[in-house]
Each structure stands twice: as C-alpha cells, then as structure tokens.
Amino acid sequence: MPVPRPEYPNPLFDRSHAWLNLNGSWDFRADPTQQHTAAAADGYDQRITVPFAWETPASGIAAHWLETAWYRRTFTVPSAWSGQRVVLHFGAVHHEATVWVNDTEVAHHEGGYTPFSADVTDALGDGEQLLVVRVHAPADKLDIVHGKQRSMPRDDYDGVCFTPSSGIWQTVWLESRPATHLATLRLRPAQDLTGIAVDATVRGPESGTARLRLRVRGEDSTVTLDIGPDGRAEAVLPVATPRLWSPEDPHLYSVDAELTSADGTDRVTSYTGLRSIAVDGEALYLNGHRLFIRGVLDQGYWPDTGITAPDDAALRRDLELAADAGYNLVRKHLKLEDPRFVHHADTLGMLLWAEPASPGRFSPESTARFAEQIQPMVERDGNSPAIIIWGLYNEEWGLDWDLPGDPAKQQAVADAYDLLKALDPTRPAVDNSGWTHVKTDLLDWHYYDESAASWAATVADLLSGRRDDFPVKLGPDFVVHKQLAVTGQPLRGLPNLNSEYGGGFTGLDRAWHLRWQTQELRRHDRLAGYVYTELYDIEHESAGLLDFHRGAKDLAGVDPGHVNAPTTLVLDLTPVAPGRDLLTATREFTVGVRVSHHGTEPVEGTLHTTWTAVYAAAPESPGSPVPGCHAEAKPYVLGEAVEVPATLPEGRTSGRLHLALVAEGGSVVARTALDVDTRTAPHIGDDPRAGRTE
C-alpha cells in the first residue's frame, strides 16, 4: 500500500534531506478501561492507518467515543544517519500522547493541535526499533482545546460541532541532525522590505563555538554569524531588487541555513515573502496599498478523513476553490491547520486568517491550555507571508458567554492578546472574534440575519456609529444584543470587518443572501472587509457554497465570483425574497446602480443589460448598452447612482435582469442581477421598502 500523506510535512522548517516518513499501517489496540501498559504486547488486534483519526473510515477503525487507545509499529534508522541524533516528530495528536521507544518513555505531550518532537537517540538499539504511542482523547473536552470537535457532555455550541477526530491526525516522521543544531529559524521581512530579518536559535553542547551561514537562494546575499551566549544569532539579509509578495505575485524567498560545529553540520531551509501588513486608522494596507478583505470561512473537515486532509492536493484544492469564488482570504476557523495548508496559501497567494482551537468553558485549566497554543502557532507558521491576521478566541467560546460582565475573563483575553503581540508584533491580532472585544487590532463582528431589510439597516447603523451593539439569535426565541467592545477598547479608529455572515437553508436561499448581503457590505466605504460563512458543507451543517465533497450546489444562477469581485455593482434596492427581488405592477421600472471598486486606479464604463428567466446564470454576452448610463468609481469610494431604465420583455410576467459594467475595449469588469416579478404583491408585514428602488 502507498504511504498516505507522503510529502514532507513542515515546509517552513525543512530538513527533508534527512527524514523518514512513519505514516502508514500501525498496530492498534482500543483500551476503553485503560488496563493496558506500554510493556504489554497483548491486545493489538487491529490495524490503523496513520495519520487518520480513529473515528474516521480512512483510519480503518471508525471507533466513536473511544477515549484511550494504543499505537505500535517498528522502524529502522537509516544507516546513513550513523553518528547523528535521531528525532521523532508528531505533527499533531489529539489530545494527550505518551511515547515510548524500545520501552523507554521519550515524550509526553498535551494539546491536540500543536506539534511536538523528541530526541530518541539514547533509546535506540540495534536493528529494528519498537515505537509505542498511548493516546487519551477525553469525551469530556470542555476544559481542553478541541475547536469544532463534539464533546460529551456537550458544548453550549454543540449544534455547530462535528464528529471528533481523536489520536494521531498529522504525519509522524523521523529526522537526523547533529547534537548541536538549529532549533528555530525565524524569518520576517525587513521593515523597509529590502531584505529578510533572520532570528535563529541554536541548541546543543557546541553552540558556543558554532557558526551559522545564511544564504538567500538565488540572490547574492550571504552572511556568516557567530552564535551568542543565549544561543541566538540575528542578521538582515539584503535583497538587491526586492520582489514583493502579494496575491497577484506570490513570490517567495528561500533561506538556506547551515550550522557548523564540532558536532557536525546541520542544514535547514525556510522561506518567507517580502510583504507588509499594516493597520492605519480604519483601513488595512498590504505593501502600502489599501486592502479590502473578501474572505470565506474554512473549518478544515473532510467526509472520510475528519480533520486530516485525505491528501496534499485536497489542501491546495480548497484554496483554489476559494479563489475561484472570488475570495482573497481564507479564515481557517478554530483550528491550527496542517502546515502544508499554510504552504499552499503562500505559493498560491491566498491570504490567511489563522487561529487556534478553543476550549468549551472557562476555567484556569482551559485558559492555560488555550494560551499554550499561541507560541507554537507563531513559531511554526510565523514565517508565512500569507498569514496576515492572527485570531485568538471566537465569540466567547471557552469564556462562558459572559465576557463583558467578568473581569477575570477579560483579563484572560487581554493576556492572550499581549502574549501573541509580544511573539509577533508584525501582524494585526483579533482578541475575541465577532463578539465583545477587550483588546484588539481589528473591530470585527459576526452578524447573521434572514431579513434583507434589517440586515441592511443594522450594517448601516454599525458602520455609521448609530449603534454599538447588534442582535445575536442564540435560540428560536432568544436574542441577545452583543456590545462591540468593553469600556476601554476604542470603538472608532480601527478597521471594521463583518467576519461572519450568511443566511438561508437551501442553496437557492444562501445564494440570494450571499448576493444581497455582500452587496450591502460593499455599499459602505468604511468597511475593511468581510468573511462569508462558509466555503463548503460539513456533516449536518449545510451553510456552504459547495457540498461536503466540494461539489457544486444549486446556487440559482448566482456566481460567487461575480459577488466577490474587486469591482461590483451595488443596486439601490431592498429585495423581497429569492426569485422576486423587485415587485412591480408594471413592466417598466428604473433601478439605481452604483459601482464599488477596490482596485488601485479608477474604473469606468457603460452599463449593459440583458434578460433571462429567473434563476438563470449570467449569459456570456453582457447584453446591450443602456443609452446614457455611464458609471464610474474611484478606489474605495462608492460611485454615484446611475438610474438604469429597464422593461420586462413582452409576454413575460417575471425575469432576471442581468447588469454588467463594460469598460472601453469591451471587457466586463462587474456583474450583478435583479429578479423582477409583476405577479405578486408584497406580503403583509414585509418591510415597506422591500422591492422598491431608492
């Protein structure tokens, strides 16, 4: 059988010249009564495929609510590694892992999303080596970080949680290195983006006399450094003609590090991109240019493999699907994802919002476990140019829903923010995404609403400052109003993002809300971006633009790529319902059309229209130009309304009016659509503005 996930697992700290993949078939024994010991060889009556969680079909086990189990396999150290230290790596194991090699305990780790390793050299013998791993994954996950994995007893947010993924769920591998070795290699763009700032950490008995040679691959930029008494070495590697990393040009610079000591030579490669991400007032700037985030939520689940991607291509494919839908950022939600995902974002130019998993309730233990993820997250992924936002808590998960009323919880959030910013001050951080903020660089909010009218009004009120709270529906008849921030956290002067939104239960409904709600967000120049919920369905949750297998859904002719384009059309209309955006007693009507443009230069063109049946996709041709309807917009300034007259074709009682902005030369730069119905009057109780142009 081929080895699953055969690719090198950690491209941002690459020792792939000396590694051995240990994925594949392992012996497995369930231990529901916790009776087994490491030394006992009995009970291994099944085979499991690593690195797939034992709940998943891909593992070959598919055991649910099993709390404790054991893994066993043998390995042979390559003869070429003679004289080197042998290090055993685990990408991630949920939740508590104890590791033995040849009956010697070599590692104990807690935390289901963070990597760990152990130097196993002294436990090795001749020939085959025996590796045993005991994993405990408690059913009661409330005091441990578990993100979207279901707990028993249940989380308060159980309705949006999924099948747990217990055990080894990322790659297991061996590496060889000298006793004196590189422990970390931190790369950041120099402040002026003309070079790479390097901060390396060396560990081992000969670190005091070791020398570190750094080279930017493909550049005439090399430096040799002595190691300081604290084991650190710092330098800036200049780049002669800097090529900045951006979504349009995701250029990466690889840095080769060679450490030489009396113990031998250690070689590590990493990479980064020359890019800046900055907050200036209410705007975000990437490389000095204003950035509008068009984001989508991605929770990192797959049908047969749980929180492990079935293969490396699946990680890349999800990013490509997001790009195809017009998004420039993916928010990986409540999960420290496989580092290969980050690598693919770096190479594809997809921006990332990265965040750790959450616990289920507030306690000293859960707070400490949450915080323990922050340093490994930054150390493992901090070199990535794609990550432009660090997240922390989400909607008070693990804070018992009482952040505004509890100083202890506010302190926990502030402490997490301070720790993160001390580790990495180069990126904006969000303290408690979506709900009440305590200490944050971005003022984001999660607002869901099934009414187009109240959606538009609430968004306008939040962005104008008329209100500093918003409704959150926690149950059928239970609505709370969430404050944007506690006293002391500024409500103005920071970028605003609606970092979760969406509505509807069918593909048709969700596509309708996607189109109209996103339009309302584009109406407001103060907004710094949005994140739509979500890219694909997961198990019982049918909120995706795609199904769980990443297949197409019926979106009633709506193309997300048009909705999320850098240039879009905004209609001065409050729609009524799917299939009947505009209700009119006559076939003739007029609609105001504006241009929202997030480019670097102004845009202008002529508005074109054409008709199809309701729910039909936009035809390839933009249709006919509308006489006198010339529209334009400056970057990040909503254009003035252009009144576009239209007439429903003779003999029809309904239809979809497709509108397109066509630039000189014939290129289509923006599209939208309007479903018109002459047969139905508004229902009693509908908002009086619905279906009317303004």
Side-chain angles (χ1 to χ4, degrees):
M1 294 290 291
V3 174
R5 301 301 306 272
E7 63 283 342
Y8 186 75
N10 191 14
L12 281 164
F13 196 79
D14 188 334
R15 267 201 196 95
S16 57
H17 63 279
W19 83 295
L20 178 66
N21 194 325
L22 297 184
N23 291 344
S25 184
W26 294 45
D27 297 331
F28 183 83
R29 67 180 177 193
D31 192 6
T33 60
Q34 301 187 35
Q35 64 179 352
H36 291 294
T37 65
D42 60 309
Y44 287 99
D45 57 355
Q46 294 176 280
R47 301 285 289 176
I48 188 169
T49 301
V50 171
F52 302 114
W54 63 59
E55 290 89 350
T56 66
S59 72
I61 302 297
H64 296 270
W65 302 111
L66 172 65
E67 291 191 297
T68 305
W70 297 75
Y71 295 73
R72 184 181 67 179
R73 67 159 292 163
T74 59
F75 65 89
T76 301
V77 177
S79 58
W81 294 4
S82 177
Q84 298 283 294
R85 306 299 292 183
V86 177
V87 181
L88 175 64
H89 290 266
F90 291 83
V93 180
H94 187 80
H95 158 75
E96 178 185 352
T98 308
V99 184
W100 293 263
V101 172
N102 298 328
D103 298 327
T104 298
E105 183 176 329
V106 295
H108 180 82
H109 178 79
E110 290 191 35
Y113 295 84
T114 50
F116 65 98
S117 62
D119 184 331
V120 301
T121 312
D122 295 339
L124 298 175
D126 296 329
E128 281 196 338
Q129 318 296 323
L130 179 65
L131 171 60
V132 173
V133 182
R134 178 187 185 272
V135 179
H136 180 61
D140 182 352
K141 297 174 171 55
L142 299 185
D143 281 315
I144 68 173
V145 294
H146 59 286
K148 284 299 192 85
Q149 300 184 60
R150 184 165 287 117
S151 173
M152 190 67 70
R154 56 179 286 171
D155 289 287
D156 290 338
Y157 45 85
D158 185 74
V160 292
C161 288
F162 314 115
T163 301
S165 288
S166 304
I168 300 172
W169 68 275
Q170 286 188 27
T171 292
V172 184
W173 77 101
L174 293 170
E175 289 180 358
S176 72
R177 68 188 186 200
T180 300
H181 60 276
L182 277 161
T184 64
L185 186 62
R186 182 182 187 271
L187 308 180
R188 297 292 188 273
Q191 191 168 7
D192 59 0
L193 300 183
T194 62
I196 300 168
V198 183
D199 185 347
T201 305
V202 175
R203 296 286 181 262
E206 300 296 333
S207 60
T209 58
R211 302 205 78 193
L212 178 62
R213 182 176 182 269
L214 300 168
R215 179 178 67 93
V216 182
R217 195 176 295 174
E219 295 282 327
D220 186 18
S221 183
T222 303
V223 64
T224 301
L225 305 169
D226 293 324
I227 308 303
D230 58 354
R232 292 177 61 189
E234 297 180 76
V236 175
L237 300 175
V239 175
T241 307
R243 182 176 166 187
L244 302 190
W245 185 98
S246 69
E248 297 75 27
D249 182 19
H251 181 73
L252 299 171
Y253 287 96
S254 293
V255 174
D256 294 320
E258 185 176 270
L259 181 74
T260 304
S261 73
D263 288 328
T265 300
D266 187 23
R267 296 190 303 278
V268 170
T269 296
S270 188
Y271 66 82
T272 193
L274 297 180
R275 68 103 183 93
S276 65
I277 180 69
V279 171
D280 187 354
E282 295 186 344
L284 282 163
Y285 288 85
L286 182 69
N287 298 334
H289 298 288
R290 188 166 172 185
L291 171 69
F292 186 88
I293 288 173
R294 308 186 309 274
V296 67
L297 205 70
D298 177 350
Q299 306 200 64
Y301 276 79
W302 287 266
D304 298 315
T305 58
I307 60 176
T308 307
D311 52 41
D312 191 50
L315 292 167
R316 187 179 182 91
R317 180 60 176 151
D318 281 355
L319 292 162
E320 292 171 335
L321 290 168
D324 290 344
Y327 295 107
N328 64 5
L329 176 141
V330 170
R331 180 184 175 194
K332 181 60 70 164
H333 193 38
L334 293 164
K335 181 189 182 189
L336 186 58
E337 186 55 279
D338 186 317
R340 297 285 308 182
F341 179 81
V342 177
H343 172 65
H344 289 308
D346 292 334
T347 61
L348 290 170
M350 179 60 74
L351 303 174
L352 292 182
W353 173 328
E355 63 194 22
S358 66
R361 63 184 163 211
F362 183 72
S363 68
E365 294 79 14
S366 68
T367 302
R369 285 165 172 158
F370 178 84
E372 285 168 358
Q373 303 174 97
I374 297 173
Q375 188 272 338
M377 176 178 75
V378 174
E379 180 177 306
R380 195 195 74 175
D381 296 339
N383 292 358
S384 163
I387 296 175
I388 63 163
I389 297 172
W390 292 123
L392 288 166
Y393 284 96
N394 174 75
E395 291 183 356
E396 300 173 28
W397 291 25
L399 297 167
D400 294 349
W401 324 112
D402 188 28
L403 190 56
D406 191 331
K409 292 166 186 169
Q410 294 176 30
Q411 190 62 53
V413 172
D415 289 346
Y417 172 90
D418 289 341
L419 173 58
L420 177 55
K421 294 297 285 189
L423 291 165
D424 184 6
T426 69
R427 295 173 171 91
V430 179
D431 60 341
N432 176 45
S433 180
W435 288 5
T436 305
H437 292 284
V438 177
K439 197 172 186 179
T440 189
D441 298 324
L442 306 175
L443 198 70
D444 76 323
W445 25 278
H446 298 173
Y447 177 43
Y448 295 92
D449 196 331
E450 299 289 329
S451 165
S454 64
W455 164 268
T458 301
V459 167
D461 287 348
L462 283 167
L463 289 170
S464 68
R466 285 190 293 269
R467 65 186 300 171
D468 294 327
D469 66 356
F470 56 96
V472 176
K473 190 174 184 180
L474 297 177
D477 300 306
F478 180 34
V479 176
V480 298
H481 288 266
K482 283 292 177 184
Q483 295 291 324
L484 284 176
V486 300
T487 302
Q489 167 58 50
L491 285 168
R492 299 291 173 264
L494 291 176
N496 276 262
L497 295 96
N498 184 357
S499 57
E500 284 189 31
Y501 74 103
F505 293 98
T506 67
L508 184 153
D509 288 340
R510 295 204 68 81
W512 186 76
H513 282 291
L514 169 72
R515 181 158 56 96
W516 287 103
Q517 290 182 354
T518 307
Q519 169 192 280
E520 287 307 308
L521 295 172
R522 295 293 293 262
R523 189 184 296 277
H524 300 281
D525 297 331
R526 284 189 61 192
L527 195 71
Y530 58 75
V531 180
Y532 177 77
T533 306
E534 60 193 316
L535 184 59
Y536 49 82
D537 296 345
I538 304 173
E539 296 184 0
H540 60 279
E541 187 172 280
S542 299
L545 298 175
L546 305 166
D547 66 28
F548 198 10
H549 293 272
R550 280 56 166 179
K553 296 171 70 172
D554 177 13
L555 300 181
V558 173
D559 185 340
H562 297 162
V563 174
N564 298 305
T567 306
T568 62
L569 299 179
V570 176
L571 306 185
D572 287 342
L573 175 81
T574 303
V576 176
R580 50 194 189 105
D581 302 326
L582 172 65
L583 304 180
T584 175
T586 65
R587 292 172 41 243
E588 297 180 355
F589 62 93
T590 302
V591 60
V593 181
R594 304 172 187 265
V595 179
S596 170
H597 175 57
H598 295 152
T600 57
E601 300 294 333
V603 66
E604 60 180 310
T606 302
L607 291 167
H608 290 227
T609 60
T610 188
W611 286 93
T612 65
V614 171
Y615 303 139
E620 184 175 345
S621 170
S624 303
V626 183
C629 288
H630 182 85
E632 58 186 36
K634 297 177 181 178
Y636 298 93
V637 178
L638 186 68
E640 295 293 328
V642 176
E643 295 298 321
V644 177
T647 302
L648 189 67
E650 187 73 37
R652 295 191 187 180
T653 56
S654 66
R656 173 165 285 184
L657 177 67
H658 298 271
L659 299 105
L661 180 66
V662 180
E664 185 177 353
S667 61
V668 178
V669 295
R671 289 182 183 268
T672 192
L674 176 68
D675 289 331
V676 180
D677 196 329
T678 62
R679 298 169 297 179
T680 310
H683 291 304
I684 296 173
D686 277 354
D687 186 276
R689 295 172 296 169
R692 298 184 182 181
T693 58
E694 298 174 348

